Amino acid sequence: MKCGIVGLPNVGKSTLFNCLSNAKAQSANFPFCTIEPNVGVITVPDERLVKLGELCKPERGVIPTTVEIVDIAGLVKGASQGEGLGNKFLANIRETDAIIHVLRCFEDGNVVHVDGTVNPVRDKEVIEAELQLKDLETVEARIQKTEKQAKAGGDKQAKVALGVLMRYKEALSAGRNARTVELENKEEEAAAKEMFLLTNKPVLYVCNVDDASAATGNQYVEQVREAVKDEGAQVLVLAAKTESEIAELETYEERQMFLEEMGLQESGCNRLIKAAYSLLNLRTFLTAGSDEVRAWTFRAGWKAPQCAGVIHTDFEKGFIRAEVIKYEDFIALGGEAACRAAGKLGVEGKDYLVQDGDIMHFLFNV
């Protein structure tokens, strides 16, 4: 599962990516300095791991979970017809599961804007228009093919798909994203998933601001909030340049002092990673003991056997049951033994829906 960072050239994508991953992607004041997509495997901040580590004192330490972030070359108007690096951009974004859309919300005469002036709502619309045009091209091609299947063989699935495609065409032709189309049942959802439309991917808008606006935002941020209020999308504010300075500080104490001086409780990078993790519909279950404390990633809605399979496929194949302790009980009572004694350890079967923060122990037999 991975998120793609997208935006116009010179909005701060690569600076932000460098803060997130320490991969040091080339960052320069000219378009297309990121030609190949840079990929960073990024640790997901989780305060629960710190407390569990202090309590369990594991021999092998504490192991967090990760999320993959891809820095994609800047897109320009006309990308859907191959302008700039359009075809490469569109191919790279198609391979991601969610989009982090960076918008420039700061004035700086030393940093060239590809369109001459700062206007984040216009920038957002430029990129979305290109993605919509590409999706419309995809949808129209699929309509021709699907119509033949629906008519020729009376294919029920083709008829469902055709209905979804026609609604997508209507939305895209009107300048709306595919994600705004409401699907009526699981059959339609399954059909939509197979279309891999660019504007159907979940999106997080990141407003890149100057230092002075990092805690409070500014007029540009308010313009973005107003423009996306009907999308159900999250808007996150951070100052990428400042984040890069914070990332270079050596100690946790130094970083916290820097943040407090700016009126922030948590770094923008941490907030962004958590938001990206949630955007991908990912959750975390935990294992905790004297050997190691570890976070494991699962998809929201997964049941106990699927989560067991995250650790090892044999755990899922031979699943018997899961022992579950709620994180809050584990911390409050001081560990597994105390939770057992207090009746706070639940024994769950194959239908148990795992919750974020569950501390799990799987029993299996292969």
Side-chain angles (χ1 to χ4, degrees):
M1 301 294 294
K2 57 187 176 183
C3 283
I5 300 180
V6 305
L8 291 177
N10 289 0
V11 297
K13 300 185 310 302
S14 294
T15 302
L16 181 58
F17 177 80
N18 289 340
C19 301
L20 290 169
S21 68
N22 293 321
K24 300 304 174 192
Q26 184 186 1
S27 178
N29 183 19
F30 57 89
F32 312 129
C33 66
T34 308
I35 305 299
E36 294 298 329
N38 294 282
V39 180
V41 179
I42 297 165
T43 297
V44 178
D46 194 331
E47 294 78 8
R48 296 172 299 195
L49 291 175
V50 177
K51 292 185 178 180
L52 288 172
E54 291 170 353
L55 188 61
C56 297
K57 297 179 173 55
E59 290 180 17
R60 294 204 298 269
V62 176
I63 304 170
T65 190
T66 59
V67 65
E68 204 168 278
I69 305 284
V70 185
D71 178 27
I72 298 172
L75 174 145
V76 293
K77 194 170 184 178
S80 56
Q81 277 78 49
E83 290 293 323
L85 294 169
N87 291 331
K88 187 179 286 287
F89 173 96
L90 294 164
N92 290 333
I93 197 172
R94 199 176 294 281
E95 293 170 5
T96 65
D97 302 288
I99 297 169
I100 298 170
H101 189 158
V102 182
L103 298 167
R104 177 172 168 174
C105 295
F106 66 90
E107 298 276 0
D108 187 340
N110 295 319
V111 181
V112 178
H113 190 289
V114 72
D115 285 328
T117 57
V118 176
N119 186 332
V121 174
R122 176 201 60 205
D123 295 352
K124 166 188 174 294
E125 290 171 351
V126 166
I127 284 198
E128 287 191 338
E130 297 304 322
L131 299 183
Q132 289 164 6
L133 286 168
K134 199 65 182 178
D135 276 352
L136 187 57
E137 183 184 305
T138 301
V139 165
E140 287 175 338
R142 292 198 65 156
I143 284 174
Q144 288 185 341
K145 181 181 176 182
T146 310
E147 272 182 331
K148 292 176 183 176
Q149 293 174 333
K151 289 176 182 176
D155 188 328
K156 185 181 177 183
Q157 286 182 321
K159 288 180 179 178
V160 170
L162 183 59
V164 174
L165 285 164
M166 296 305 291
R167 276 149 55 204
Y168 278 150
K169 182 180 178 180
E170 181 183 355
L172 292 163
S173 298
R176 301 198 317 271
N177 293 318
R179 74 179 76 90
T180 64
V181 174
E182 291 188 16
L183 303 173
E184 296 175 2
N185 51 51
K186 288 184 178 179
E187 288 78 13
E188 288 192 349
E189 289 174 8
K193 192 177 288 187
E194 292 178 6
M195 295 170 194
F196 301 105
L197 297 181
L198 301 171
T199 64
N200 222 2
K201 297 177 187 291
V203 63
L204 167 70
Y205 295 102
V206 174
C207 294
N208 184 16
V209 299
D210 53 23
D211 291 4
S213 307
T216 58
N218 57 29
Q219 60 174 347
Y220 294 126
V221 174
E222 293 311 309
Q223 290 168 11
V224 172
R225 291 191 199 280
E226 179 65 22
V228 307
K229 65 181 181 182
D230 296 327
E231 291 187 30
Q234 188 177 345
V235 176
L236 190 143
V237 180
L238 57 75
K241 186 180 176 187
T242 305
E243 292 293 327
S244 66
E245 293 171 5
I246 293 171
E248 289 175 6
L249 296 174
E250 291 187 6
T251 67
Y252 173 79
E253 289 74 20
E254 286 178 311
R255 291 192 290 271
Q256 286 304 114
M257 283 179 63
F258 195 121
L259 289 168
E260 286 171 13
E261 286 173 8
M262 294 188 65
L264 298 169
Q265 292 183 325
E266 186 177 25
S267 78
C269 282
N270 274 14
R271 289 185 288 115
L272 176 55
I273 295 166
K274 290 177 181 178
Y277 194 71
S278 177
L279 191 68
L280 291 166
N281 205 26
L282 301 179
R283 303 291 183 268
T284 302
F285 73 86
L286 307 159
T287 52
S290 58
D291 53 346
E292 72 174 23
V293 167
R294 185 162 183 164
W296 304 86
T297 299
F298 71 100
R299 298 291 298 275
W302 276 14
K303 295 182 178 179
Q306 290 172 287
C307 288
V310 173
I311 298 177
H312 197 288
T313 52
D314 284 350
F315 283 29
E316 183 173 6
K317 288 176 186 174
F319 180 88
I320 299 172
R321 64 181 181 272
E323 295 179 344
V324 183
I325 302 173
K326 296 300 175 184
Y327 167 80
E328 293 76 12
D329 292 333
F330 195 98
I331 295 297
L333 295 173
E336 183 181 326
C339 288
R340 283 183 185 273
K344 294 294 185 179
L345 184 148
V347 178
E348 305 290 352
K350 292 182 178 181
D351 291 329
Y352 176 69
L353 282 170
V354 177
Q355 303 299 307
D356 184 69
D358 279 353
I359 296 174
M360 312 284 292
H361 175 65
F362 298 105
L363 287 85
F364 71 103
N365 182 27
V366 177

